[in-house]
Amino acid sequence: QRLESAPFICIAAINGWCMGGGLELALACHLRYAQAGDYLIGLLEVQLHLLPGAGGTQRLGRVVGQARALEMLLLGTCVCPEDAERIGLVHSLVNDVQLHSDTVATLLASRPPHLLQHVVRLHADAQQLAWSEGMERERGAFSAILRDEETLQRLAEFNSGTVRVPE
C-alpha cells in the first residue's frame, strides 16, 4: 500500500517470470510495462494451495475486470506477456522494457510532482466515489492547479507558441 500511495509514480518493468508476490508488487505500481519474451505472469498461489496475500485479490479485479480476475485467481492462471497486454494486466508490451520505462520516467519527472499526485488520487477516487463527489474533487484540484505559478507560466508559454504539445 505504501508503494501504491507513494508521492511519486511507480513503474513496473517486467522482463521475466512475474509470479505471486512479484505480480502483486507490480499491481501496486501505477504503470506496468512488459517486454516480449518466453515467460509467464500470474498469481499461481491457488495451485500451491495458497492465496495471494499482498493485495492480489484486491488489485487484480481493478486491473483486468472482476470476472476475469476471479477466474484467474480460482484457477491460478498465468499468461504470457502478449496476453497480459491483451487483457490489460500490463499497459503495453515493448521491445526494451528498461529503455521504455526509463523514457516514461524521464517524461514524468519533467512534470510537477503535485500535478501527478492529483491525477493519481483523482483516478483512484473515480474507482471508489460517487460521480458527483469525484467531480467535486476534480473541480477543486483543477482550481488549485490553475492558480499554481508553474501552471500559469506553462500556459503562457503555450499561448505564445514557445511550448508545443506533441500530436
Side-chain angles (χ1 to χ4, degrees), residues 63-100:
V63 172
V64 301
Q66 296 301 329
R68 183 181 309 274
L70 182 58
E71 180 183 48
M72 290 178 73
L73 290 164
L74 289 172
L75 299 176
T77 303
C78 299
V79 296
C80 65
E82 291 78 10
D83 287 342
E85 179 189 36
R86 182 181 54 76
I87 66 173
L89 186 54
V90 298
H91 292 87
S92 62
L93 188 65
V94 296
N95 290 329
D96 184 336
V97 73
Q98 192 61 55
L99 176 63
H100 182 78

mmCIF file of all heavy atoms in Angstrom, residues 63-100:
data_model
loop_
_atom_site.group_PDB
_atom_site.id
_atom_site.type_symbol
_atom_site.label_atom_id
_atom_site.label_comp_id
_atom_site.label_asym_id
_atom_site.label_seq_id
_atom_site.Cartn_x
_atom_site.Cartn_y
_atom_site.Cartn_z
ATOM 1 N N VAL A 63 -7.757 -4.176 -12.276
ATOM 2 C CA VAL A 63 -6.900 -4.059 -13.457
ATOM 3 C C VAL A 63 -7.484 -4.800 -14.658
ATOM 4 O O VAL A 63 -7.547 -4.250 -15.754
ATOM 5 C CB VAL A 63 -5.469 -4.575 -13.136
ATOM 6 C CG1 VAL A 63 -4.612 -4.660 -14.376
ATOM 7 C CG2 VAL A 63 -4.817 -3.684 -12.085
ATOM 8 N N VAL A 64 -7.916 -6.038 -14.467
ATOM 9 C CA VAL A 64 -8.364 -6.846 -15.609
ATOM 10 C C VAL A 64 -9.876 -7.055 -15.640
ATOM 11 O O VAL A 64 -10.387 -7.706 -16.541
ATOM 12 C CB VAL A 64 -7.652 -8.221 -15.647
ATOM 13 C CG1 VAL A 64 -6.153 -8.054 -15.749
ATOM 14 C CG2 VAL A 64 -8.029 -9.098 -14.467
ATOM 15 N N GLY A 65 -10.589 -6.509 -14.657
ATOM 16 C CA GLY A 65 -12.031 -6.717 -14.571
ATOM 17 C C GLY A 65 -12.341 -7.835 -13.588
ATOM 18 O O GLY A 65 -11.562 -8.781 -13.436
ATOM 19 N N GLN A 66 -13.479 -7.714 -12.928
ATOM 20 C CA GLN A 66 -13.816 -8.638 -11.846
ATOM 21 C C GLN A 66 -14.011 -10.079 -12.315
ATOM 22 O O GLN A 66 -13.532 -11.010 -11.658
ATOM 23 C CB GLN A 66 -15.064 -8.138 -11.104
ATOM 24 C CG GLN A 66 -14.867 -6.805 -10.403
ATOM 25 C CD GLN A 66 -13.755 -6.828 -9.368
ATOM 26 O OE1 GLN A 66 -13.473 -7.838 -8.738
ATOM 27 N NE2 GLN A 66 -13.097 -5.694 -9.188
ATOM 28 N N ALA A 67 -14.693 -10.283 -13.420
ATOM 29 C CA ALA A 67 -14.963 -11.648 -13.879
ATOM 30 C C ALA A 67 -13.664 -12.361 -14.249
ATOM 31 O O ALA A 67 -13.419 -13.494 -13.821
ATOM 32 C CB ALA A 67 -15.916 -11.619 -15.075
ATOM 33 N N ARG A 68 -12.824 -11.709 -15.033
ATOM 34 C CA ARG A 68 -11.560 -12.324 -15.443
ATOM 35 C C ARG A 68 -10.664 -12.561 -14.227
ATOM 36 O O ARG A 68 -10.007 -13.578 -14.104
ATOM 37 C CB ARG A 68 -10.836 -11.467 -16.468
ATOM 38 C CG ARG A 68 -9.548 -12.125 -16.978
ATOM 39 C CD ARG A 68 -8.816 -11.279 -17.985
ATOM 40 N NE ARG A 68 -9.623 -10.807 -19.075
ATOM 41 C CZ ARG A 68 -9.877 -11.476 -20.191
ATOM 42 N NH1 ARG A 68 -9.364 -12.673 -20.367
ATOM 43 N NH2 ARG A 68 -10.615 -10.941 -21.140
ATOM 44 N N ALA A 69 -10.636 -11.597 -13.302
ATOM 45 C CA ALA A 69 -9.792 -11.730 -12.120
ATOM 46 C C ALA A 69 -10.207 -12.931 -11.284
ATOM 47 O O ALA A 69 -9.356 -13.702 -10.834
ATOM 48 C CB ALA A 69 -9.839 -10.454 -11.289
ATOM 49 N N LEU A 70 -11.498 -13.090 -11.060
ATOM 50 C CA LEU A 70 -11.959 -14.215 -10.245
ATOM 51 C C LEU A 70 -11.545 -15.536 -10.877
ATOM 52 O O LEU A 70 -11.054 -16.431 -10.186
ATOM 53 C CB LEU A 70 -13.475 -14.161 -10.037
ATOM 54 C CG LEU A 70 -14.049 -15.277 -9.162
ATOM 55 C CD1 LEU A 70 -13.400 -15.290 -7.777
ATOM 56 C CD2 LEU A 70 -15.557 -15.144 -9.060
ATOM 57 N N GLU A 71 -11.723 -15.639 -12.187
ATOM 58 C CA GLU A 71 -11.314 -16.879 -12.867
ATOM 59 C C GLU A 71 -9.812 -17.099 -12.728
ATOM 60 O O GLU A 71 -9.364 -18.206 -12.420
ATOM 61 C CB GLU A 71 -11.709 -16.821 -14.340
ATOM 62 C CG GLU A 71 -11.309 -18.093 -15.085
ATOM 63 C CD GLU A 71 -11.625 -18.037 -16.561
ATOM 64 O OE1 GLU A 71 -11.297 -17.019 -17.209
ATOM 65 O OE2 GLU A 71 -12.192 -19.026 -17.044
ATOM 66 N N MET A 72 -9.024 -16.050 -12.949
ATOM 67 C CA MET A 72 -7.576 -16.185 -12.844
ATOM 68 C C MET A 72 -7.161 -16.591 -11.428
ATOM 69 O O MET A 72 -6.273 -17.426 -11.243
ATOM 70 C CB MET A 72 -6.876 -14.876 -13.244
ATOM 71 C CG MET A 72 -6.954 -14.563 -14.722
ATOM 72 S SD MET A 72 -6.165 -12.994 -15.147
ATOM 73 C CE MET A 72 -4.422 -13.450 -14.978
ATOM 74 N N LEU A 73 -7.795 -15.984 -10.425
ATOM 75 C CA LEU A 73 -7.464 -16.299 -9.037
ATOM 76 C C LEU A 73 -7.853 -17.727 -8.672
ATOM 77 O O LEU A 73 -7.086 -18.448 -8.022
ATOM 78 C CB LEU A 73 -8.150 -15.308 -8.099
ATOM 79 C CG LEU A 73 -7.602 -13.878 -8.130
ATOM 80 C CD1 LEU A 73 -8.584 -12.916 -7.477
ATOM 81 C CD2 LEU A 73 -6.233 -13.799 -7.478
ATOM 82 N N LEU A 74 -9.043 -18.158 -9.091
ATOM 83 C CA LEU A 74 -9.502 -19.504 -8.758
ATOM 84 C C LEU A 74 -8.697 -20.591 -9.452
ATOM 85 O O LEU A 74 -8.441 -21.649 -8.870
ATOM 86 C CB LEU A 74 -10.983 -19.660 -9.117
ATOM 87 C CG LEU A 74 -11.968 -18.892 -8.242
ATOM 88 C CD1 LEU A 74 -13.372 -18.973 -8.828
ATOM 89 C CD2 LEU A 74 -11.935 -19.412 -6.807
ATOM 90 N N LEU A 75 -8.288 -20.332 -10.697
ATOM 91 C CA LEU A 75 -7.549 -21.332 -11.457
ATOM 92 C C LEU A 75 -6.033 -21.202 -11.316
ATOM 93 O O LEU A 75 -5.309 -22.104 -11.699
ATOM 94 C CB LEU A 75 -7.930 -21.253 -12.943
ATOM 95 C CG LEU A 75 -9.405 -21.514 -13.262
ATOM 96 C CD1 LEU A 75 -9.675 -21.313 -14.742
ATOM 97 C CD2 LEU A 75 -9.811 -22.905 -12.799
ATOM 98 N N GLY A 76 -5.577 -20.083 -10.780
ATOM 99 C CA GLY A 76 -4.132 -19.850 -10.707
ATOM 100 C C GLY A 76 -3.547 -19.623 -12.088
ATOM 101 O O GLY A 76 -2.434 -20.033 -12.391
ATOM 102 N N THR A 77 -4.308 -18.935 -12.927
ATOM 103 C CA THR A 77 -3.938 -18.716 -14.327
ATOM 104 C C THR A 77 -2.712 -17.816 -14.452
ATOM 105 O O THR A 77 -2.625 -16.784 -13.794
ATOM 106 C CB THR A 77 -5.112 -18.061 -15.088
ATOM 107 O OG1 THR A 77 -6.253 -18.889 -14.962
ATOM 108 C CG2 THR A 77 -4.769 -17.850 -16.553
ATOM 109 N N CYS A 78 -1.812 -18.223 -15.328
ATOM 110 C CA CYS A 78 -0.652 -17.410 -15.678
ATOM 111 C C CYS A 78 -0.720 -17.156 -17.181
ATOM 112 O O CYS A 78 -1.189 -18.009 -17.938
ATOM 113 C CB CYS A 78 0.645 -18.132 -15.316
ATOM 114 S SG CYS A 78 0.756 -18.477 -13.543
ATOM 115 N N VAL A 79 -0.288 -15.978 -17.606
ATOM 116 C CA VAL A 79 -0.386 -15.614 -19.014
ATOM 117 C C VAL A 79 0.975 -15.168 -19.545
ATOM 118 O O VAL A 79 1.836 -14.717 -18.787
ATOM 119 C CB VAL A 79 -1.424 -14.485 -19.236
ATOM 120 C CG1 VAL A 79 -2.824 -14.958 -18.868
ATOM 121 C CG2 VAL A 79 -1.068 -13.239 -18.441
ATOM 122 N N CYS A 80 1.145 -15.291 -20.853
ATOM 123 C CA CYS A 80 2.355 -14.804 -21.500
ATOM 124 C C CYS A 80 2.268 -13.275 -21.603
ATOM 125 O O CYS A 80 1.179 -12.706 -21.436
ATOM 126 C CB CYS A 80 2.510 -15.439 -22.880
ATOM 127 S SG CYS A 80 1.225 -14.966 -24.061
ATOM 128 N N PRO A 81 3.376 -12.600 -21.863
ATOM 129 C CA PRO A 81 3.354 -11.133 -21.937
ATOM 130 C C PRO A 81 2.350 -10.581 -22.951
ATOM 131 O O PRO A 81 1.703 -9.570 -22.688
ATOM 132 C CB PRO A 81 4.787 -10.772 -22.322
ATOM 133 C CG PRO A 81 5.603 -11.918 -21.835
ATOM 134 C CD PRO A 81 4.732 -13.126 -21.990
ATOM 135 N N GLU A 82 2.206 -11.257 -24.091
ATOM 136 C CA GLU A 82 1.270 -10.781 -25.109
ATOM 137 C C GLU A 82 -0.166 -10.817 -24.586
ATOM 138 O O GLU A 82 -0.939 -9.886 -24.799
ATOM 139 C CB GLU A 82 1.398 -11.624 -26.389
ATOM 140 C CG GLU A 82 2.694 -11.428 -27.138
ATOM 141 C CD GLU A 82 3.894 -12.168 -26.538
ATOM 142 O OE1 GLU A 82 3.714 -13.027 -25.612
ATOM 143 O OE2 GLU A 82 5.020 -11.889 -26.962
ATOM 144 N N ASP A 83 -0.527 -11.894 -23.898
ATOM 145 C CA ASP A 83 -1.870 -11.986 -23.325
ATOM 146 C C ASP A 83 -2.041 -11.004 -22.164
ATOM 147 O O ASP A 83 -3.133 -10.480 -21.954
ATOM 148 C CB ASP A 83 -2.174 -13.412 -22.870
ATOM 149 C CG ASP A 83 -2.418 -14.355 -24.040
ATOM 150 O OD1 ASP A 83 -2.691 -13.859 -25.164
ATOM 151 O OD2 ASP A 83 -2.340 -15.580 -23.846
ATOM 152 N N ALA A 84 -0.972 -10.771 -21.426
ATOM 153 C CA ALA A 84 -1.033 -9.797 -20.339
ATOM 154 C C ALA A 84 -1.395 -8.420 -20.885
ATOM 155 O O ALA A 84 -2.196 -7.693 -20.284
ATOM 156 C CB ALA A 84 0.296 -9.747 -19.587
ATOM 157 N N GLU A 85 -0.837 -8.073 -22.026
ATOM 158 C CA GLU A 85 -1.192 -6.786 -22.644
ATOM 159 C C GLU A 85 -2.637 -6.815 -23.136
ATOM 160 O O GLU A 85 -3.395 -5.872 -22.921
ATOM 161 C CB GLU A 85 -0.266 -6.466 -23.813
ATOM 162 C CG GLU A 85 -0.629 -5.152 -24.485
ATOM 163 C CD GLU A 85 0.118 -4.907 -25.786
ATOM 164 O OE1 GLU A 85 0.372 -5.874 -26.528
ATOM 165 O OE2 GLU A 85 0.433 -3.737 -26.054
ATOM 166 N N ARG A 86 -3.035 -7.901 -23.773
ATOM 167 C CA ARG A 86 -4.375 -8.014 -24.340
ATOM 168 C C ARG A 86 -5.456 -7.858 -23.272
ATOM 169 O O ARG A 86 -6.476 -7.209 -23.494
ATOM 170 C CB ARG A 86 -4.534 -9.356 -25.064
ATOM 171 C CG ARG A 86 -5.881 -9.558 -25.730
ATOM 172 C CD ARG A 86 -6.000 -10.909 -26.425
ATOM 173 N NE ARG A 86 -5.692 -12.037 -25.573
ATOM 174 C CZ ARG A 86 -6.506 -12.535 -24.620
ATOM 175 N NH1 ARG A 86 -7.681 -11.982 -24.411
ATOM 176 N NH2 ARG A 86 -6.156 -13.589 -23.905
ATOM 177 N N ILE A 87 -5.231 -8.407 -22.088
ATOM 178 C CA ILE A 87 -6.253 -8.339 -21.041
ATOM 179 C C ILE A 87 -6.089 -7.125 -20.134
ATOM 180 O O ILE A 87 -6.873 -6.928 -19.205
ATOM 181 C CB ILE A 87 -6.295 -9.641 -20.200
ATOM 182 C CG1 ILE A 87 -5.011 -9.834 -19.393
ATOM 183 C CG2 ILE A 87 -6.615 -10.840 -21.072
ATOM 184 C CD1 ILE A 87 -5.061 -11.000 -18.419
ATOM 185 N N GLY A 88 -5.081 -6.309 -20.387
ATOM 186 C CA GLY A 88 -4.893 -5.092 -19.607
ATOM 187 C C GLY A 88 -4.106 -5.277 -18.325
ATOM 188 O O GLY A 88 -4.057 -4.380 -17.490
ATOM 189 N N LEU A 89 -3.465 -6.429 -18.159
ATOM 190 C CA LEU A 89 -2.655 -6.670 -16.967
ATOM 191 C C LEU A 89 -1.413 -5.786 -16.984
ATOM 192 O O LEU A 89 -0.941 -5.351 -15.938
ATOM 193 C CB LEU A 89 -2.273 -8.151 -16.890
ATOM 194 C CG LEU A 89 -1.550 -8.648 -15.653
ATOM 195 C CD1 LEU A 89 -2.303 -8.300 -14.381
ATOM 196 C CD2 LEU A 89 -1.335 -10.159 -15.743
ATOM 197 N N VAL A 90 -0.892 -5.536 -18.182
ATOM 198 C CA VAL A 90 0.194 -4.564 -18.357
ATOM 199 C C VAL A 90 -0.298 -3.496 -19.324
ATOM 200 O O VAL A 90 -1.167 -3.748 -20.154
ATOM 201 C CB VAL A 90 1.511 -5.216 -18.865
ATOM 202 C CG1 VAL A 90 2.041 -6.237 -17.866
ATOM 203 C CG2 VAL A 90 1.344 -5.842 -20.236
ATOM 204 N N HIS A 91 0.258 -2.307 -19.194
ATOM 205 C CA HIS A 91 -0.182 -1.199 -20.038
ATOM 206 C C HIS A 91 0.253 -1.366 -21.483
ATOM 207 O O HIS A 91 -0.482 -1.007 -22.396
ATOM 208 C CB HIS A 91 0.318 0.132 -19.469
ATOM 209 C CG HIS A 91 -0.334 0.460 -18.177
ATOM 210 N ND1 HIS A 91 0.149 0.021 -16.958
ATOM 211 C CD2 HIS A 91 -1.456 1.153 -17.898
ATOM 212 C CE1 HIS A 91 -0.642 0.449 -15.992
ATOM 213 N NE2 HIS A 91 -1.624 1.135 -16.534
ATOM 214 N N SER A 92 1.456 -1.871 -21.676
ATOM 215 C CA SER A 92 1.886 -2.149 -23.046
ATOM 216 C C SER A 92 3.043 -3.135 -23.050
ATOM 217 O O SER A 92 3.734 -3.323 -22.050
ATOM 218 C CB SER A 92 2.249 -0.869 -23.803
ATOM 219 O OG SER A 92 3.323 -0.213 -23.198
ATOM 220 N N LEU A 93 3.204 -3.749 -24.199
ATOM 221 C CA LEU A 93 4.279 -4.697 -24.465
ATOM 222 C C LEU A 93 5.299 -3.967 -25.325
ATOM 223 O O LEU A 93 4.939 -3.383 -26.353
ATOM 224 C CB LEU A 93 3.708 -5.902 -25.212
ATOM 225 C CG LEU A 93 4.613 -7.084 -25.426
ATOM 226 C CD1 LEU A 93 4.992 -7.723 -24.097
ATOM 227 C CD2 LEU A 93 3.897 -8.117 -26.299
ATOM 228 N N VAL A 94 6.547 -3.970 -24.890
ATOM 229 C CA VAL A 94 7.575 -3.198 -25.585
ATOM 230 C C VAL A 94 8.798 -4.076 -25.852
ATOM 231 O O VAL A 94 8.987 -5.115 -25.219
ATOM 232 C CB VAL A 94 7.979 -1.955 -24.764
ATOM 233 C CG1 VAL A 94 6.798 -1.004 -24.610
ATOM 234 C CG2 VAL A 94 8.509 -2.329 -23.397
ATOM 235 N N ASN A 95 9.627 -3.638 -26.804
ATOM 236 C CA ASN A 95 10.826 -4.415 -27.149
ATOM 237 C C ASN A 95 11.895 -4.348 -26.074
ATOM 238 O O ASN A 95 12.576 -5.332 -25.813
ATOM 239 C CB ASN A 95 11.403 -3.930 -28.485
ATOM 240 C CG ASN A 95 10.504 -4.298 -29.638
ATOM 241 O OD1 ASN A 95 9.822 -5.312 -29.605
ATOM 242 N ND2 ASN A 95 10.482 -3.457 -30.660
ATOM 243 N N ASP A 96 12.081 -3.168 -25.497
ATOM 244 C CA ASP A 96 13.100 -2.978 -24.458
ATOM 245 C C ASP A 96 12.424 -2.306 -23.268
ATOM 246 O O ASP A 96 12.283 -1.087 -23.228
ATOM 247 C CB ASP A 96 14.248 -2.118 -25.002
ATOM 248 C CG ASP A 96 15.389 -1.948 -24.026
ATOM 249 O OD1 ASP A 96 15.169 -2.075 -22.794
ATOM 250 O OD2 ASP A 96 16.515 -1.673 -24.478
ATOM 251 N N VAL A 97 11.992 -3.115 -22.312
ATOM 252 C CA VAL A 97 11.187 -2.596 -21.211
ATOM 253 C C VAL A 97 11.964 -1.618 -20.333
ATOM 254 O O VAL A 97 11.391 -0.656 -19.833
ATOM 255 C CB VAL A 97 10.573 -3.751 -20.378
ATOM 256 C CG1 VAL A 97 11.613 -4.451 -19.533
ATOM 257 C CG2 VAL A 97 9.410 -3.257 -19.538
ATOM 258 N N GLN A 98 13.253 -1.825 -20.174
ATOM 259 C CA GLN A 98 14.026 -0.903 -19.342
ATOM 260 C C GLN A 98 14.142 0.464 -20.009
ATOM 261 O O GLN A 98 13.929 1.487 -19.373
ATOM 262 C CB GLN A 98 15.415 -1.463 -19.039
ATOM 263 C CG GLN A 98 16.137 -0.685 -17.963
ATOM 264 C CD GLN A 98 15.404 -0.707 -16.632
ATOM 265 O OE1 GLN A 98 15.087 -1.758 -16.097
ATOM 266 N NE2 GLN A 98 15.100 0.466 -16.095
ATOM 267 N N LEU A 99 14.444 0.474 -21.300
ATOM 268 C CA LEU A 99 14.534 1.734 -22.034
ATOM 269 C C LEU A 99 13.182 2.452 -22.036
ATOM 270 O O LEU A 99 13.105 3.658 -21.795
ATOM 271 C CB LEU A 99 15.007 1.483 -23.472
ATOM 272 C CG LEU A 99 15.061 2.709 -24.384
ATOM 273 C CD1 LEU A 99 16.077 3.721 -23.850
ATOM 274 C CD2 LEU A 99 15.421 2.294 -25.801
ATOM 275 N N HIS A 100 12.114 1.708 -22.285
ATOM 276 C CA HIS A 100 10.784 2.306 -22.313
ATOM 277 C C HIS A 100 10.422 2.887 -20.946
ATOM 278 O O HIS A 100 9.941 4.025 -20.849
ATOM 279 C CB HIS A 100 9.735 1.278 -22.739
ATOM 280 C CG HIS A 100 8.358 1.841 -22.840
ATOM 281 N ND1 HIS A 100 7.938 2.593 -23.914
ATOM 282 C CD2 HIS A 100 7.306 1.792 -21.981
ATOM 283 C CE1 HIS A 100 6.690 2.979 -23.717
ATOM 284 N NE2 HIS A 100 6.288 2.494 -22.548
#
